Amino acid sequence: MEAWFDPVLTAANSPWAYLIVFTFAYLDAIIPIVPSETSLIACGVFATATGFSPNLFLLIALGGLGAWLGDNTVYALGRWAEPFATKHLLSGERGKKARERAEGWLRDYGGVIIIVARYIPGGRTAVSLTAGTVDYPWPKFRFYAAIAGFSWAAYAALLGYWGGAAFKDDPLKAVLAGIAAAFAVTLLVEVGRRIAAWRRKRARASEASSE
């Protein structure tokens, strides 16, 4: 594992860190398998609050900007190239279910789900694309996507920063600790979302039975 992580750690502790963070954050909105969160955590391990080795605040700014631009690109694809976007980003039965789920989220939670979906693997792509296809107002989308992108970038970079502080002499352990913490947060968000959806479904069933 150490040999596999060596190139990642080398890039994270170099001037290329900024380009990697921005590019991965942008592409992850379009291609969900791109490891944007892992790259931010890895770079955060070597980050400092001052200086440029790399600089923590610059990492957050570039990661947030890349995420915001990526989300808006997917929104634009959903709005103006819906058949192409659906075929290439949400294809197959799994993609169809993801879109239906995203439509339900937007209907039930509005802009808040745009923020929450950034912390759900694959959710950010489905929600951004669906928001475009259903003509969700772009000014509102841009606003919520900005909150989502920059809060996510801060959270991922700070997880890496925390790991770097906790394991100063072992960058690999620091990265793995950050990834484990990110996984735990994602799991909590998903559990919370499922509980909220279950409660809403029960409330609707109760209303329907009382009519």
Side-chain angles (χ1 to χ4, degrees):
M1 181 180 282
E2 222 170 310
W4 187 89
F5 263 95
D6 275 346
V8 176
L9 298 176
T10 300
N13 193 26
S14 75
W16 289 102
Y18 301 117
L19 180 61
I20 290 168
V21 160
F22 174 82
T23 304
F24 279 24
Y26 176 79
L27 290 176
D28 183 37
I30 305 168
I31 310 168
I33 61 170
V34 173
S36 61
E37 198 162 88
T38 301
S39 70
L40 252 175
I41 290 171
C43 293
V45 166
F46 297 100
T48 58
T50 57
F52 294 90
S53 59
N55 178 270
L56 178 65
F57 301 107
L58 194 52
L59 284 176
I60 292 171
L62 288 171
L65 180 61
W68 183 78
L69 288 173
D71 288 343
N72 277 274
T73 298
V74 175
Y75 175 96
L77 284 171
R79 189 160 185 174
W80 290 294
E82 192 272 336
F84 171 85
T86 301
K87 181 180 178 181
H88 290 86
L89 298 181
L90 292 177
S91 59
E93 191 62 30
R94 188 174 178 181
K96 184 181 177 183
K97 287 181 179 178
R99 176 172 171 170
E100 289 173 354
R101 193 162 55 240
E103 285 179 357
W105 290 346
L106 283 167
R107 182 182 61 249
D108 293 340
Y109 305 108
V112 174
I113 197 61
I114 295 170
I115 300 172
V116 175
R118 176 137 284 277
Y119 297 84
I120 302 172
R124 63 195 70 161
T125 303
V127 167
S128 297
L129 183 66
T130 303
T133 59
V134 301
D135 286 336
Y136 186 85
W138 202 356
K140 288 178 70 174
F141 179 84
R142 291 198 305 263
F143 172 74
Y144 286 113
I147 296 174
F150 286 96
S151 66
W152 165 82
Y155 135 85
L158 287 170
L159 277 179
Y161 189 71
W162 160 77
F167 301 97
K168 291 180 180 178
D169 300 321
D170 196 332
L172 179 58
K173 280 186 180 178
V175 172
L176 293 177
I179 292 172
F183 176 78
V185 170
T186 300
L187 187 62
L188 286 172
V189 169
E190 181 63 13
V191 169
R193 185 192 65 77
R194 286 178 179 271
I195 291 173
W198 175 74
R199 286 179 175 174
R200 189 175 288 267
K201 189 175 180 180
R202 278 192 66 185
R204 283 177 178 164
S206 179
E207 288 174 6
S209 62
S210 63
E211 289 178 356

